[in-house]
Amino acid sequence: MSKVVFITGASSGIGKSIGEFLHAKGFIVYGTSRNPNRITDSQFPLLALDVRNKESITQAIDTILQKSGRIDVVINNAGVGITGPIEEIPTEEIKNNFETNLFGPIEVMKAALPAMRSQKSGLIINITSIAGYMGLPYRGIYSASKGALELITEALRMEVKSFGIHITNVAPGDFATNIAAGRFHAPLIKGSAYEIPYGTTLSMMNEHVDSGSNPNEMAEAIYKIIESPSPKGHYKIGAFMQKFSIVLKRILPDKVYEKMLMNHYKL
């Protein structure tokens, strides 16, 4: 029997690549978009969903259960980037980022878990970020929201294991997607103390995304995780140095690691 897969934020980028790959493998795939009517090239059904709206989450899960009778895999992929000096980012934008990157995925999991528990099986994959393993300059809010999701996943994984449900984190590095276009960028303020260093870092971040890996690498990794009988708690997908930076943080003294990051971002 084909597994039923639910992917949030599947109208573009990594989510779309994952959906197309799994659809081609014979999975029953449902994706989501805040405006599915605007998407005309999706190979799988797109449901209307805004992860900041609990009612839309419930409606999407109910629709899948009515149509397919079960939900085997949930991929929490919807998320947004945010950049800027923490001092200058409007508080409402910080809250919006956490609503999308942390509280939204939590609500999706809470909505899906009862059905998975009744099935005595299920897999939830939370797409986090390698940035969630470290506080990056001018990406501190993004790092914090993704890092928080990593820890939530660790805790929930232990809470639901006895129900036959697996939960895992997949932390991607930089992939060639349109995420930069959807980010909230705190504006470069003329005369600000952060104008030059933030401007330099922002340019570097955009270059990294443009030269990032092919999103199909993520799709293949997700497929292997779904096929695994016992998924690990953490996966890192991306360029070697991006993954190795997590190892360096564990083994280097704090000041040495901080200096390495500052040199990298030319701060």
Side-chain angles (χ1 to χ4, degrees), residues 5 7 13-25 27 44 75 77 125 127 170 172 175 177 213-227 237-238:
V5 181
I7 309 170
I14 287 174
K16 182 178 181 180
S17 293
I18 294 171
E20 290 177 348
F21 190 91
L22 296 180
H23 173 73
K25 290 288 185 180
F27 291 83
F44 47 88
I75 302 174
N77 170 72
I125 300 173
I127 307 297
V170 178
F175 281 83
T177 69
S213 304
N214 189 319
N216 285 337
E217 290 181 28
M218 271 291 288
E220 292 174 6
I222 294 295
Y223 172 67
K224 290 177 182 178
I225 293 168
I226 293 173
E227 292 295 289
I237 313 297

Side-chain angles (χ1 to χ4, degrees), residues 140-159:
I141 301 305
Y142 183 75
S143 290
S145 64
K146 290 296 189 177
L149 184 57
E150 285 269 343
L151 294 179
I152 288 287
T153 305
E154 287 184 4
L156 188 57
R157 176 181 167 88
M158 292 182 281
E159 293 174 4

